[in-house]
Amino acid sequence: MSLIDLLSWDAFGSGWFWSLVVLQWFWHGAQVLGVPADYLHCKDNAQLSMVINWRAKRRLRSAHRAPLLFVAGLSFLVSVVFILGFVYHIEFCAAVAILVVPEVIIFQLAYRTAQSICAKPLGLEACIKALKTLHLKIYATGAAAIFFAGLFGYGFEVLKP
């Protein structure tokens, strides 16, 4: 297989799509809300509490500072890509939708977790539990995304006219 074959626009049958899927879920498995996942087992409670609160406040600040026009434009683009991919059966758009829609879901899950951490002062154990729950939700989202990528990828490759 040549490099040109790997970079083809035939998304589900090419290496670029599956490489991006692996990279995307490797990244999400390595950190949760910006905190490295293995750092949640750290023995330095003061530093861990400071990092968790700082990352949660940072996530909320960045979400609140996003201009409405940017959020509306991004929502429009994600919707257009999703519709082009799954209603009009454009394979490249379906592949991009399978990469982008889980990111939107994970952003919303992380935002809600950051809100719960910052809204009421939780103890360190409660914060760690919230982050571990978020990590499990991210894994579930990733498993569903990979399942749908395989399912729709198989459908696009086999049912191609």
Side-chain angles (χ1 to χ4, degrees):
M1 181 177 267
S2 69
L3 182 64
I4 300 301
D5 292 333
L6 285 174
L7 297 176
S8 71
W9 289 96
D10 185 27
F12 293 107
S14 68
W16 70 264
F17 173 75
W18 294 105
S19 298
L20 285 175
V21 167
V22 167
L23 183 67
Q24 176 184 27
W25 296 111
F26 174 75
W27 174 257
H28 285 300
Q31 54 92 26
V32 55
L33 199 64
V35 179
D38 51 347
Y39 195 66
L40 294 177
H41 304 288
C42 179
K43 301 294 184 204
D44 188 6
N45 290 343
Q47 185 178 11
L48 182 59
S49 178
M50 181 187 67
V51 169
I52 289 173
N53 288 327
W54 176 69
R55 295 300 296 189
K57 288 176 185 174
R58 185 172 179 211
R59 175 60 60 107
L60 291 178
R61 261 195 325 270
S62 66
H64 291 165
R65 288 183 180 169
L68 182 61
L69 188 60
F70 174 74
V71 173
L74 185 63
S75 299
F76 175 75
L77 287 175
V78 170
S79 299
V80 166
V81 166
F82 188 84
I83 289 169
L84 286 175
F86 294 108
V87 174
Y88 292 104
H89 304 290
I90 299 172
E91 184 177 355
F92 177 75
C93 291
V96 170
I98 287 175
L99 289 172
V100 172
V101 169
E103 293 294 328
V104 173
I105 293 169
I106 288 172
F107 183 83
Q108 182 65 26
L109 290 171
Y111 178 77
R112 287 184 182 168
T113 303
Q115 272 185 325
S116 69
I117 289 172
C118 291
K120 52 186 176 278
L122 299 174
L124 181 62
E125 294 300 321
C127 288
I128 290 174
K129 184 179 179 188
L131 289 179
K132 286 183 178 181
T133 303
L134 174 62
H135 206 215
L136 288 176
K137 289 178 183 178
I138 289 172
Y139 276 141
T141 304
I146 291 171
F147 174 75
F148 285 117
L151 184 70
F152 285 112
Y154 179 76
F156 272 106
E157 292 297 319
V158 172
L159 303 175
K160 207 184 284 187

